[in-house]
Amino acid sequence: MTDFWFQFLLALDSTLRVATPLIFCAMAGIFSERSGIIDISLEGKMLMAAFVAAAVAYGTGSPWIGAFAAITVSIIASLIHGFACIIHRGNQVISGLAINILASGLTVIIGIALFRQGGQTPTLPKTSRFNSLELPLADVFEKNIPILGVIYKELISGHNILVWAAIISVGITYYILFKTTFGLRLRAVGEKPEAIDSAGISVTKMRFQAIIIAGILCGLAGVYLSTATGAGFVKEMTAGKGYIALAAMIFGKWRPVPALFACLLFGFLEAVAARVQGVEIMLIGEISSDLLIALPYLLTVILLAGFIGGVTPPRAIGQPYIKER
Amino acid sequence: MQASRLPRYVDIVLIPILNLLTALFVAGIIIAIIGENPFTALSVMLKGAFVYKGGLGYTLFYTTNFIFTGLAVAVAFHAMLFNIGGEGQAAMGGLGIGLVALSLGGLLPILVVIFLAVLGSALFGAIWGIIPGYLQAKRGSHIVITTIMFNFIASAIMVWLLAGMLMAPNQMSPETVSFSDGVMLWQMHEIFNKMGFDIGRSPLNLSFVIALICCLFVWLLIWRTRLGYRIRATGFSLKASTYAGYRPEIIIIVTMAISGGLAGMMAVNEILGVQHRVILNFTSGYGFTGIAVALMGRNHPVGIIFASLLFGALFQGGAELDFEFQTITRDMVLMIQGLIILFSGALAYMFNPVLEKLFLRDDHLIGPKND
């Protein structure tokens, strides 16, 4: 039993690690989509940022400069998305898709041109990464306080700064969206842009601000992948995480806190999937981790179809705003 | 899509070419930045795609894939449905072929098995299109999100089956056993050999002909049948379609069935034409390329054939880049593809204001502004 308990604790711990990029991207998606811009390019922005973070951190030796560069590039990708679908009123899904495919190609081409390692960056030394922080007294607590001490050591302590940043970003997103004038306007622009326009506020400007914030958050997700959990960039390292985050955002009904729980749930499923391969469970039989991985997508489809409560996306989502003359 | 006031030839010929050139121009700049000569790269690609022996065969082989997935996207587009699930539908199509070929191969005459396998691919692809179609029509879920999710679900199912119950015994890689002898489509170079021509070895097979027949089928369907009219009417205005008594929810489901079926048939080329067994990830992104193809081809079968040929040449020429350059790989093709989707899809109307000034100088031709 104690062994099961310990395994469970470790699964929760890896849940947090797996969920971190999902949380960043889900918050990015919320900002973008609440303002009325569909963003399926979370994946591509995260991939570009992951590459730039690793490449610059390798070149400069500083993860912070890497992170800064990565966020900049992710914002640029956001601006391309905005240029296409806010200014030129292009199709938002097509634009997002273009950015995703572009990211897959560009990261590898530039990676090969710079490092000649088949599209990877060289492995980053510990000093060029965001390392995990052992919280004070973790070992003392583990020995002296039963249960809570172990939880403190295994679950709370030993994460890198970006894990905490991800969780804090949920609070910030909530605060900005629901407690500030900016947030009110941002939500209004995604529901009824003409109302915001007649109030004398620029719809274009609001939407650009929203997607720039989305760019920053996707950038952080990429930084986390290549310079915090990973030690360098690997081809296609985002591996569909952007899409899972998109699913989590929808699963959380475009709201920050429910989306956080959706990310944790999906992260937990992935963490479990890595552990249960071949494990027999009573009545169900052997669980297939291959199928478990598809569960987030399946749950999202079921939710969207309205089988578990209704979902209402922002009303003006996907529609370019045409100012009346 | 906004209504264009430009002459028709500008809209369907000049703009696509202009968009393509812009994409290639940006790609050229990127190639120059990483220190290679874009013109050398272009000539290597063109030689690889058309000049070297068998190159054209490979180009047309890839073209076949893109015709199927491009048609799939286009048919859905006519009903204003954005099917980005071609990847999953094609994977399921491969599963359909595999199940038919592995269960009936050797039991029935070869031609019957091949015929059923082709039907199986269309059927399985169609099922993978019908479910998102149904969810959109009856339950109001957004087709873009559902088809994205269905791509991942299909991929998980394929891994589960190919590394599980369908996996060939004594094998390490996730794939089925080979189909029984003769369950395959004939290779073009063998057909031509028998007629006395040597066209060089390539994987080009009869699927190419099937793809061209599908183009004719789609043209007839969309512009010459009642169903096609209803599909376009539903895409044009859901309300009008309801008012006319077309039952748009049925039209949406049927459209997605046809779209999914066409995407599923891409597997005919890869699985029945070349591999003769089901392998993992044989779709390699061709489903997504179908979107670029449909965008460039303006959702018309003739346009799609030309756009598929372009992408076929890009893929085959891209393979050639691997041999000739140290720094440029096939990923270059991915990048160019992304640029093409950006410029001929999302930024399709970027040049419209400029062109309108050029072609519509007389004020009375412009008419009342309605935007």
Side-chain angles (χ1 to χ4, degrees):
Chain A
M1 195 61 204
T2 45
D3 184 51
F4 172 79
W5 162 243
F6 191 67
Q7 284 298 321
F8 182 70
L9 207 58
L10 288 185
L12 283 186
D13 183 59
S14 54
T15 297
L16 260 187
R17 289 171 208 274
V18 175
T20 298
L22 304 183
I23 298 170
F24 278 129
C25 283
M27 295 306 127
I30 287 175
F31 272 107
S32 179
E33 303 219 338
R34 279 281 186 160
S35 81
I37 306 290
I38 298 177
D39 198 356
I40 63 166
S41 65
L42 301 171
E43 174 91 1
K45 284 185 278 209
M46 179 164 53
L47 189 66
M48 287 189 199
F51 171 73
V52 173
V56 173
Y58 179 78
T60 61
S62 157
W64 294 97
I65 300 177
F68 182 76
I71 290 169
T72 312
V73 166
S74 177
I75 291 175
I76 292 173
S78 269
L79 291 178
I80 294 175
H81 190 45
F83 177 73
C85 53
I86 302 176
I87 294 183
H88 285 286
R89 298 178 209 149
N91 184 311
Q92 301 171 358
V93 174
I94 295 175
S95 166
L97 199 70
I99 290 175
N100 286 346
I101 296 178
L102 206 54
S104 301
L106 269 180
T107 49
V108 176
I109 293 166
I110 300 177
I112 291 174
L114 287 178
F115 304 109
R116 315 265 156 142
Q117 295 191 359
Q120 300 189 358
T121 58
T123 311
L124 293 171
K126 232 171 150 38
T127 48
S128 316
R129 295 171 50 200
F130 292 100
N131 297 305
S132 44
L133 308 167
E134 289 297 331
L135 294 183
L137 301 176
D139 286 320
V140 181
F141 281 4
E142 192 199 8
K143 280 186 195 112
N144 298 325
I145 309 173
I147 302 176
L148 284 179
V150 182
I151 292 180
Y152 182 74
K153 163 127 169 93
E154 297 298 338
L155 188 57
I156 314 273
S157 167
H159 290 297
N160 59 64
I161 190 167
L162 283 159
V163 176
W164 299 115
I167 290 168
I168 293 166
S169 78
V170 178
I172 296 176
T173 304
Y174 177 81
Y175 180 79
I176 293 179
L177 277 184
F178 297 100
K179 302 287 171 199
T180 66
T181 321
F182 172 76
L184 180 69
R185 288 173 180 172
L186 192 140
R187 282 182 291 134
V189 127
E191 297 286 336
K192 228 174 170 26
E194 54 280 15
I196 278 293
D197 196 21
S198 57
I201 300 155
S202 161
V203 173
T204 307
K205 195 177 157 198
M206 282 307 299
R207 289 190 166 166
F208 263 107
Q209 283 168 335
I211 60 168
I212 287 172
I213 299 175
I216 296 172
L217 288 162
C218 286
L220 286 168
V223 170
Y224 174 80
L225 285 180
S226 67
T227 60
T229 43
F233 177 84
V234 186
K235 186 176 174 174
E236 296 290 343
M237 79 183 304
T238 47
K241 288 190 176 63
Y243 291 109
I244 297 198
L246 197 70
M249 177 198 71
I250 295 166
F251 209 74
K253 304 182 180 179
W254 287 268
R255 287 177 302 175
V257 178
L260 164 71
F261 285 112
C263 291
L264 291 173
L265 171 68
F266 293 174
F268 181 69
L269 287 174
E270 203 183 316
V272 169
R275 283 155 203 273
V276 294
Q277 183 67 321
V279 175
E280 298 262 348
I281 290 211
M282 264 186 297
L283 299 173
I284 307 173
E286 195 173 308
I287 303 178
S288 159
S289 64
D290 300 324
L291 288 186
L292 211 54
I293 285 174
L295 208 52
Y297 306 112
L298 194 61
L299 285 174
T300 306
V301 168
I302 294 171
L303 179 90
L304 259 183
F307 293 117
I308 4 175
V311 198
T312 334
R315 209 178 61 96
I317 198 163
Q319 301 159 1
Y321 181 66
I322 301 165
K323 200 173 166 69
E324 280 181 52
R325 298 227 168 98
Chain B
M1 303 265 166
Q2 51 205 87
S4 175
R5 296 185 292 261
L6 290 165
R8 211 171 129 75
Y9 71 94
V10 177
D11 204 31
I12 62 172
V13 179
L14 193 63
I15 290 183
I17 290 176
L18 211 55
N19 290 333
L20 175 67
L21 289 180
T22 316
L24 292 180
F25 178 70
V26 175
I29 291 177
I30 294 172
I31 295 178
I33 288 174
I34 62 172
E36 298 286 352
N37 184 338
F39 295 102
T40 323
L42 185 68
S43 91
V44 166
M45 286 181 91
L46 285 176
K47 274 186 205 148
F50 297 110
V51 180
Y52 295 146
K53 198 169 173 112
L56 183 63
Y58 271 93
T59 298
L60 291 177
F61 168 72
Y62 291 120
T63 304
T64 310
N65 284 338
F66 301 139
I67 290 178
F68 283 122
T69 55
L71 287 176
V73 176
V75 167
F77 255 140
H78 280 291
M80 272 301 166
L81 296 167
F82 199 169
N83 175 16
I84 45 182
E87 201 70 6
Q89 287 145 11
M92 293 313 265
L95 183 63
I97 292 178
L99 292 181
V100 169
L102 293 172
S103 60
L104 300 178
L107 292 177
L108 295 174
I110 284 174
L111 281 178
V112 177
V113 176
I114 293 176
F115 180 71
L116 290 177
V118 174
L119 277 189
S121 74
L123 181 71
F124 271 60
I127 291 172
W128 221 240
I130 286 174
I131 306 171
Y134 165 81
L135 292 173
Q136 157 102 16
K138 301 272 190 184
R139 316 277 326 181
S141 10
H142 201 300
I143 200 125
V144 169
I145 304 292
T146 344
T147 45
I148 292 178
M149 300 299 140
F150 266 62
N151 283 341
F152 286 103
I153 297 172
S155 141
I157 291 177
M158 292 302 276
V159 174
W160 175 58
L161 287 175
L162 292 180
M165 54 186 88
L166 288 183
M167 189 163 152
N170 312 321
Q171 262 277 15
M172 286 315 285
S173 52
E175 55 188 47
T176 66
V177 292
S178 291
F179 301 159
S180 53
D181 276 345
V183 180
M184 53 184 276
L185 283 178
W186 300 290
Q187 301 290 309
M188 284 297 196
H189 65 89
E190 285 170 7
I191 297 174
F192 275 84
N193 252 345
K194 287 203 177 109
M195 296 193 299
F197 299 102
D198 181 16
I199 58 166
R201 283 188 72 89
S202 76
L204 183 66
N205 58 77
L206 265 191
S207 314
F208 182 61
V209 179
I210 300 178
L212 292 180
I213 293 170
C214 284
C215 285
L216 185 65
F217 163 77
V218 167
W219 180 78
L220 285 173
L221 170 80
I222 298 289
W223 283 283
R224 287 292 179 273
T225 65
R226 194 173 293 180
L227 176 63
Y229 181 79
R230 291 179 177 190
I231 289 176
R232 285 183 291 139
T234 307
F236 194 71
S237 162
L238 208 62
K239 274 185 194 154
S241 169
T242 313
Y243 187 67
Y246 293 165
R247 304 188 60 197
E249 55 297 6
I250 303 291
I251 303 281
I252 287 174
I253 295 171
V254 170
T255 308
M256 281 304 290
I258 299 169
S259 173
L262 285 165
M265 286 178 77
M266 190 214 98
V268 173
N269 191 34
E270 286 284 336
I271 299 295
L272 215 50
V274 182
Q275 300 291 345
H276 313 138
R277 67 208 146 100
V278 187
I279 58 168
L280 207 57
N281 298 333
F282 69 88
T283 52
S284 357
Y286 301 137
F288 290 119
T289 312
I291 297 164
V293 168
L295 286 171
M296 281 210 66
R298 294 283 160 123
N299 302 319
H300 192 286
V302 175
I304 286 171
I305 293 175
F306 281 112
S308 299
L309 192 61
L310 171 81
F311 274 98
L314 268 177
F315 269 67
Q316 168 53 17
E320 208 63 38
L321 290 176
D322 273 346
F323 302 117
E324 297 279 330
F325 291 94
Q326 280 198 312
T327 49
I328 308 182
T329 58
R330 297 196 73 139
D331 301 283
M332 183 60 77
V333 178
L334 216 53
M335 184 198 76
I336 297 175
Q337 189 184 329
L339 289 171
I340 289 179
I341 295 180
L342 186 67
F343 286 106
S344 50
L347 288 169
Y349 300 103
M350 187 166 66
F351 293 115
N352 269 30
V354 184
L355 290 173
E356 276 173 10
K357 265 184 205 143
L358 270 177
F359 284 93
L360 303 171
R361 270 188 207 142
D362 303 324
D363 270 333
H364 66 273
L365 280 177
I366 294 177
K369 274 207 162 176
N370 53 0
D371 55 351

